[in-house]
Amino acid sequence: MRAAVIGAGAWGTAMARLLALKGHDVRLWAFEEGVVAAVNAGHENPQFLPGAALPESVTATPSHRDAVAEAGLVVYATPAQHLRAIAAAGARHVWPGATLVVAAKGIERGSLALMSDVIEHEVPGHDVVALSGPSFAAEVAAGLPTAVVAASRNRDAARTVQEAYSGAAFRVYTHDD
């Protein structure tokens, strides 16, 4: 499957790495030009997740259009305070059949909206899955055991995320809440 990860901080990089290790073709959207260059040239994100080797199937881009083109799974892993603007900037490029995954943690300042509500508002017409649980990017990238929940009103969408991510050390359980 083609996947896009929007946000190349530590968590977004760890999410992209997991997807690639499961055999998916991953485009990682990064705001920082240096991160794009480092990921593409050295298969690592030394600025935000040093030491975590990225498979060659992860390529970085500063273009929303290039990141999400034909992606069946779009993962949002940006800081909460930037999620709305970043999602809005790339919304028109998201493939109509894509499942959207919210890996961003927190609530929006001012509106107190949940991150999944922000994505539903800014990128309407898609199944949205919230991926959350006790996890740290460096530990996930190091392959330490981690369990998270993929929650969605659409059970098939939650299962899609479960199948895309689950492995021996990273376990994903589904829920409808």
Side-chain angles (χ1 to χ4, degrees):
M1 171 174 40
R2 173 92 187 260
V5 177
I6 309 301
W11 190 232
T13 302
M15 293 284 92
R17 184 176 186 280
L18 281 174
L19 286 167
L21 289 173
K22 290 278 296 185
H24 304 292
D25 178 33
V26 183
R27 298 295 176 264
L28 179 62
W29 177 86
F31 177 76
E32 301 85 356
E33 296 275 339
V35 170
V36 171
V39 168
N40 292 336
H43 304 290
E44 183 183 355
N45 184 344
Q47 183 172 347
F48 294 110
L49 196 61
L54 296 171
E56 290 186 18
S57 59
V58 175
T59 35
T61 179
S63 164
H64 286 281
R65 184 185 69 225
D66 292 346
V68 300
E70 300 178 10
L73 197 67
V74 179
V75 181
Y76 293 90
T78 68
Q81 66 270 22
H82 302 297
L83 180 62
R84 186 176 298 275
I86 291 171
R92 71 180 183 271
H93 303 296
V94 175
W95 181 60
T99 297
L100 309 182
V101 182
V102 182
K105 300 175 183 180
I107 59 172
E108 186 177 48
R109 290 183 187 147
S111 73
L112 302 180
L114 299 174
M115 298 295 95
S116 55
D117 293 336
V118 170
I119 291 300
E120 284 178 343
H121 183 263
E122 295 301 328
V123 193
H126 297 271
D127 290 322
V128 175
V129 179
L131 186 69
S132 65
S135 53
F136 296 97
E139 292 178 358
V140 169
L144 296 178
T146 303
V148 297
V149 174
S152 179
R153 291 183 201 105
N154 181 323
R155 282 215 177 260
D156 290 337
R159 282 190 205 108
T160 295
V161 173
Q162 181 183 43
E163 291 171 10
Y165 274 107
S166 285
F170 193 81
R171 303 294 299 269
V172 180
Y173 298 91
T174 62
H175 204 280
D176 61 359
D177 181 18

PDB file of all heavy atoms in Angstrom, residues 89-104:
ATOM      1  N   ALA A  89      -3.765  22.709   4.354  1.00  0.00           N
ATOM      2  CA  ALA A  89      -2.875  22.988   3.224  1.00  0.00           C
ATOM      3  C   ALA A  89      -2.811  21.826   2.236  1.00  0.00           C
ATOM      4  O   ALA A  89      -2.650  22.033   1.038  1.00  0.00           O
ATOM      5  CB  ALA A  89      -1.470  23.326   3.728  1.00  0.00           C
ATOM      6  N   GLY A  90      -2.953  20.610   2.718  1.00  0.00           N
ATOM      7  CA  GLY A  90      -2.850  19.459   1.825  1.00  0.00           C
ATOM      8  C   GLY A  90      -4.160  18.767   1.521  1.00  0.00           C
ATOM      9  O   GLY A  90      -4.187  17.800   0.748  1.00  0.00           O
ATOM     10  N   ALA A  91      -5.260  19.243   2.080  1.00  0.00           N
ATOM     11  CA  ALA A  91      -6.552  18.546   1.983  1.00  0.00           C
ATOM     12  C   ALA A  91      -6.984  18.277   0.547  1.00  0.00           C
ATOM     13  O   ALA A  91      -7.475  17.184   0.243  1.00  0.00           O
ATOM     14  CB  ALA A  91      -7.624  19.330   2.720  1.00  0.00           C
ATOM     15  N   ARG A  92      -6.812  19.225  -0.341  1.00  0.00           N
ATOM     16  CA  ARG A  92      -7.316  19.056  -1.715  1.00  0.00           C
ATOM     17  C   ARG A  92      -6.556  17.987  -2.491  1.00  0.00           C
ATOM     18  O   ARG A  92      -7.010  17.525  -3.532  1.00  0.00           O
ATOM     19  CB  ARG A  92      -7.293  20.384  -2.458  1.00  0.00           C
ATOM     20  CG  ARG A  92      -5.928  20.890  -2.824  1.00  0.00           C
ATOM     21  CD  ARG A  92      -6.023  22.232  -3.565  1.00  0.00           C
ATOM     22  NE  ARG A  92      -4.732  22.696  -3.974  1.00  0.00           N
ATOM     23  CZ  ARG A  92      -3.920  23.457  -3.239  1.00  0.00           C
ATOM     24  NH1 ARG A  92      -4.291  23.824  -2.029  1.00  0.00           N
ATOM     25  NH2 ARG A  92      -2.762  23.837  -3.711  1.00  0.00           N
ATOM     26  N   HIS A  93      -5.414  17.570  -1.978  1.00  0.00           N
ATOM     27  CA  HIS A  93      -4.602  16.573  -2.667  1.00  0.00           C
ATOM     28  C   HIS A  93      -4.844  15.140  -2.171  1.00  0.00           C
ATOM     29  O   HIS A  93      -4.343  14.192  -2.760  1.00  0.00           O
ATOM     30  CB  HIS A  93      -3.115  16.902  -2.510  1.00  0.00           C
ATOM     31  CG  HIS A  93      -2.755  18.259  -3.005  1.00  0.00           C
ATOM     32  ND1 HIS A  93      -2.874  18.628  -4.328  1.00  0.00           N
ATOM     33  CD2 HIS A  93      -2.296  19.348  -2.345  1.00  0.00           C
ATOM     34  CE1 HIS A  93      -2.492  19.893  -4.460  1.00  0.00           C
ATOM     35  NE2 HIS A  93      -2.135  20.343  -3.273  1.00  0.00           N
ATOM     36  N   VAL A  94      -5.593  14.989  -1.071  1.00  0.00           N
ATOM     37  CA  VAL A  94      -5.811  13.664  -0.494  1.00  0.00           C
ATOM     38  C   VAL A  94      -6.710  12.850  -1.417  1.00  0.00           C
ATOM     39  O   VAL A  94      -7.777  13.305  -1.835  1.00  0.00           O
ATOM     40  CB  VAL A  94      -6.422  13.769   0.925  1.00  0.00           C
ATOM     41  CG1 VAL A  94      -6.765  12.386   1.481  1.00  0.00           C
ATOM     42  CG2 VAL A  94      -5.459  14.491   1.862  1.00  0.00           C
ATOM     43  N   TRP A  95      -6.268  11.643  -1.728  1.00  0.00           N
ATOM     44  CA  TRP A  95      -7.000  10.722  -2.588  1.00  0.00           C
ATOM     45  C   TRP A  95      -8.375  10.447  -1.996  1.00  0.00           C
ATOM     46  O   TRP A  95      -8.517  10.231  -0.781  1.00  0.00           O
ATOM     47  CB  TRP A  95      -6.175   9.447  -2.724  1.00  0.00           C
ATOM     48  CG  TRP A  95      -6.764   8.387  -3.585  1.00  0.00           C
ATOM     49  CD1 TRP A  95      -7.078   8.492  -4.905  1.00  0.00           C
ATOM     50  CD2 TRP A  95      -7.103   7.069  -3.197  1.00  0.00           C
ATOM     51  NE1 TRP A  95      -7.584   7.300  -5.366  1.00  0.00           N
ATOM     52  CE2 TRP A  95      -7.617   6.400  -4.325  1.00  0.00           C
ATOM     53  CE3 TRP A  95      -7.021   6.365  -1.990  1.00  0.00           C
ATOM     54  CZ2 TRP A  95      -8.040   5.084  -4.297  1.00  0.00           C
ATOM     55  CZ3 TRP A  95      -7.443   5.056  -1.975  1.00  0.00           C
ATOM     56  CH2 TRP A  95      -7.940   4.433  -3.116  1.00  0.00           C
ATOM     57  N   PRO A  96      -9.443  10.430  -2.794  1.00  0.00           N
ATOM     58  CA  PRO A  96     -10.806  10.252  -2.272  1.00  0.00           C
ATOM     59  C   PRO A  96     -11.017   8.980  -1.454  1.00  0.00           C
ATOM     60  O   PRO A  96     -11.813   8.970  -0.528  1.00  0.00           O
ATOM     61  CB  PRO A  96     -11.669  10.228  -3.535  1.00  0.00           C
ATOM     62  CG  PRO A  96     -10.878  10.956  -4.556  1.00  0.00           C
ATOM     63  CD  PRO A  96      -9.438  10.670  -4.240  1.00  0.00           C
ATOM     64  N   GLY A  97     -10.317   7.904  -1.726  1.00  0.00           N
ATOM     65  CA  GLY A  97     -10.511   6.657  -0.998  1.00  0.00           C
ATOM     66  C   GLY A  97      -9.596   6.472   0.200  1.00  0.00           C
ATOM     67  O   GLY A  97      -9.603   5.414   0.822  1.00  0.00           O
ATOM     68  N   ALA A  98      -8.825   7.483   0.547  1.00  0.00           N
ATOM     69  CA  ALA A  98      -7.842   7.343   1.621  1.00  0.00           C
ATOM     70  C   ALA A  98      -8.488   7.247   2.994  1.00  0.00           C
ATOM     71  O   ALA A  98      -9.487   7.902   3.283  1.00  0.00           O
ATOM     72  CB  ALA A  98      -6.879   8.529   1.597  1.00  0.00           C
ATOM     73  N   THR A  99      -7.885   6.423   3.845  1.00  0.00           N
ATOM     74  CA  THR A  99      -8.219   6.385   5.267  1.00  0.00           C
ATOM     75  C   THR A  99      -7.254   7.327   5.964  1.00  0.00           C
ATOM     76  O   THR A  99      -6.041   7.283   5.700  1.00  0.00           O
ATOM     77  CB  THR A  99      -8.062   4.953   5.826  1.00  0.00           C
ATOM     78  OG1 THR A  99      -8.987   4.094   5.163  1.00  0.00           O
ATOM     79  CG2 THR A  99      -8.312   4.914   7.321  1.00  0.00           C
ATOM     80  N   LEU A 100      -7.778   8.162   6.836  1.00  0.00           N
ATOM     81  CA  LEU A 100      -6.954   9.146   7.539  1.00  0.00           C
ATOM     82  C   LEU A 100      -6.685   8.672   8.959  1.00  0.00           C
ATOM     83  O   LEU A 100      -7.606   8.263   9.662  1.00  0.00           O
ATOM     84  CB  LEU A 100      -7.650  10.502   7.562  1.00  0.00           C
ATOM     85  CG  LEU A 100      -8.154  11.025   6.214  1.00  0.00           C
ATOM     86  CD1 LEU A 100      -8.782  12.396   6.378  1.00  0.00           C
ATOM     87  CD2 LEU A 100      -7.033  11.047   5.182  1.00  0.00           C
ATOM     88  N   VAL A 101      -5.432   8.732   9.363  1.00  0.00           N
ATOM     89  CA  VAL A 101      -5.019   8.292  10.690  1.00  0.00           C
ATOM     90  C   VAL A 101      -4.495   9.506  11.445  1.00  0.00           C
ATOM     91  O   VAL A 101      -3.634  10.230  10.946  1.00  0.00           O
ATOM     92  CB  VAL A 101      -3.905   7.228  10.611  1.00  0.00           C
ATOM     93  CG1 VAL A 101      -3.515   6.755  12.008  1.00  0.00           C
ATOM     94  CG2 VAL A 101      -4.343   6.065   9.738  1.00  0.00           C
ATOM     95  N   VAL A 102      -5.010   9.709  12.639  1.00  0.00           N
ATOM     96  CA  VAL A 102      -4.553  10.817  13.462  1.00  0.00           C
ATOM     97  C   VAL A 102      -3.640  10.261  14.544  1.00  0.00           C
ATOM     98  O   VAL A 102      -4.095   9.605  15.481  1.00  0.00           O
ATOM     99  CB  VAL A 102      -5.747  11.578  14.092  1.00  0.00           C
ATOM    100  CG1 VAL A 102      -5.248  12.754  14.908  1.00  0.00           C
ATOM    101  CG2 VAL A 102      -6.699  12.038  13.006  1.00  0.00           C
ATOM    102  N   ALA A 103      -2.341  10.496  14.381  1.00  0.00           N
ATOM    103  CA  ALA A 103      -1.358  10.076  15.367  1.00  0.00           C
ATOM    104  C   ALA A 103      -0.880  11.269  16.188  1.00  0.00           C
ATOM    105  O   ALA A 103      -0.073  11.106  17.096  1.00  0.00           O
ATOM    106  CB  ALA A 103      -0.187   9.386  14.681  1.00  0.00           C
ATOM    107  N   ALA A 104      -1.383  12.459  15.866  1.00  0.00           N
ATOM    108  CA  ALA A 104      -1.058  13.665  16.628  1.00  0.00           C
ATOM    109  C   ALA A 104      -1.723  13.569  17.991  1.00  0.00           C
ATOM    110  O   ALA A 104      -2.859  13.130  18.112  1.00  0.00           O
ATOM    111  CB  ALA A 104      -1.548  14.903  15.885  1.00  0.00           C
TER     112      ALA A 104
END
